[in-house]
Amino acid sequence: MAVQTKAERRAANRREHFERRQAERAARGPRGLAESWMERARAIAATRETNGDEDVWNDLARTIATWVSRYEQ
């Protein structure tokens, strides 16, 4: 087995955690899956912000705002 760097192991752990939670939430149907994807989006945005991506939260906010405007009465 190849030796993993700390970053690779952390990424693998995050992926495993996300996949486990997504499977649990998928059992609850589309609402559970949506919750899982929203949680993942927040985690990615927080990580990218830490790494210097200044527009990541604005992009996520615009995406959600577009969805809301499409379904809001």
Side-chain angles (χ1 to χ4, degrees):
M1 180 177 204
V3 176
Q4 289 182 321
T5 66
K6 187 176 181 179
E8 290 169 336
R9 186 69 204 142
R10 189 176 17 213
N13 286 341
R14 275 195 212 118
R15 232 181 350 267
E16 182 181 323
H17 176 74
F18 171 72
E19 289 168 359
R20 185 174 58 251
R21 287 183 56 94
Q22 188 170 30
E24 292 167 359
R25 288 177 171 169
R28 296 190 353 239
R31 182 178 182 156
L33 283 174
E35 289 172 2
S36 185
W37 284 114
M38 287 186 277
E39 177 184 291
R40 184 71 180 134
R42 286 190 307 270
I44 289 169
T47 298
R48 291 188 62 106
E49 178 186 37
T50 300
N51 292 331
D53 187 344
E54 298 175 10
D55 196 45
V56 68
W57 287 108
N58 289 327
D59 186 31
L60 181 57
R62 283 189 303 268
T63 301
I64 293 169
T66 299
W67 185 93
V68 167
S69 68
R70 191 167 46 231
Y71 291 98
E72 188 174 49
Q73 295 294 328

